[in-house]
Amino acid sequence: RDMPPRSRRHPGVSGHAGIDTLCRVRGVGPALAKALWEQFGSLRAVAAADPAALAAAEGIGPKRAKAIHDFFS
């Protein structure tokens, strides 16, 4: 599989686990979860992002950005 390596800043959160968590968000499938992971670099960075930063990511509009933000809030 082509999965991101374990985050050096956040050991214990592998790419696979982070992508699986992102897939639990309504409207986020595996391809979009992987794209978010690659753009933000970690699950914690995605979780900390504000809706405007999330909406700026490719494939994420305002509704998905809100769903992602609400999932982690």
Side-chain angles (χ1 to χ4, degrees), residues 1-7 13-17 19 33-34 37-38 41:
R1 283 193 187 204
D2 183 24
M3 299 302 258
R6 285 188 178 266
S7 171
V13 179
S14 69
H16 184 70
I19 290 171
K34 183 178 178 190
W37 180 274
E38 289 173 351

Side-chain angles (χ1 to χ4, degrees), residues 2-70:
D2 183 24
M3 299 302 258
R6 285 188 178 266
S7 171
R8 291 180 187 184
R9 292 185 315 193
H10 306 294
V13 179
S14 69
H16 184 70
I19 290 171
D20 285 349
T21 299
L22 288 169
C23 285
R24 290 204 242 141
V25 179
R26 173 175 267 156
V28 177
L32 192 52
K34 183 178 178 190
L36 283 166
W37 180 274
E38 289 173 351
Q39 180 160 345
F40 286 90
S42 73
L43 183 60
R44 287 190 178 140
V46 174
D50 62 34
L54 292 165
E58 187 172 338
I60 305 289
K63 288 182 182 178
R64 275 196 185 130
K66 183 178 180 339
I68 296 164
H69 185 264
D70 290 351

